[in-house]
Amino acid sequence: VIDVLAGTWSGSPAQSFTYRYVTGSGRDRTTHRLHVVTMALPVFLPTLTLTPEGAGAKLAKLAGGQDLSFESDEFNRAWRVECEMEKFAYDVITPRLMERLPWSDAAGVSIRIDGTDVLSWSNGEQSLEALAPRLELLAAVRDAVPGFVWRDNGYDPGNG
């Protein structure tokens, strides 16, 4: 992890950084870089992952990877959804969130609710130009979680 930036956005602690990792060895060695942005959540939530549909997602599905389906064919064509607790996924991915995700700030971005964070990542180095839009995207995902989901997980958004 390099180039770490930390602060507060929309009332929540947030971070942005470049995550580098290496695969292969010798002549087949490749360094990968991801721009990761995280935002703290007020309570632990189950893991829910949304990845843009593409060659990798299609290959994962062909190999038996999970992809939950929703009432919107457009959403289903654009996103692969994985969640061990399917009810949680269906509760969180509301029509309002499905309408929000096609915005340009979510293009090519993977999103995950993971414990006490919501995070996103995309290929490449950290980009300061992408930071504010990415934080707005994470705040939109956080704010789209219905009140009953927060309460079911031990947090009352009316008192928090």
Side-chain angles (χ1 to χ4, degrees):
V1 172
I2 59 171
D3 302 326
V4 178
L5 299 173
T8 301
W9 189 271
S10 184
S12 294
Q15 292 184 342
S16 176
F17 53 87
T18 298
Y19 177 70
R20 291 191 307 195
Y21 65 98
V22 176
T23 57
S25 61
R27 291 179 44 190
D28 293 328
R29 180 182 167 113
T30 303
T31 300
H32 306 272
R33 291 169 182 79
L34 298 174
H35 179 197
V36 180
V37 180
T38 71
M39 179 177 287
L41 297 173
V43 68
F44 187 95
L45 294 176
T47 300
L48 167 64
T49 305
L50 295 100
T51 51
E53 283 288 5
K58 286 180 175 49
L59 185 61
K61 286 193 289 190
L62 286 173
Q66 183 185 38
D67 186 15
L68 300 176
S69 292
F70 292 79
E71 59 271 12
S72 167
D73 287 336
E74 181 179 346
F75 178 82
N76 292 331
R77 282 190 303 274
W79 295 94
R80 177 175 178 221
V81 179
E82 300 170 89
C83 187
E84 288 186 19
M85 299 181 66
E86 289 184 20
K87 181 183 181 324
F88 176 76
Y90 291 118
D91 288 345
V92 170
I93 300 176
T94 62
R96 177 178 150 202
L97 185 56
M98 283 188 254
E99 288 175 11
R100 172 62 178 84
L101 289 174
W103 293 15
S104 63
D105 58 357
V109 174
S110 296
I111 303 165
R112 175 179 291 153
I113 293 174
D114 193 353
T116 56
D117 292 292
V118 58
L119 59 116
S120 65
W121 66 94
S122 60
N123 290 322
E125 301 276 340
Q126 176 171 242
S127 163
L128 294 180
E129 294 79 25
L131 186 52
R134 188 78 65 83
L135 287 164
E136 284 298 320
L137 171 63
L138 294 180
V141 171
R142 177 202 61 199
D143 294 346
V145 175
F148 75 91
V149 172
W150 290 120
R151 287 186 292 279
D152 287 352
N153 287 280
Y155 172 71
D156 185 352
N159 292 327

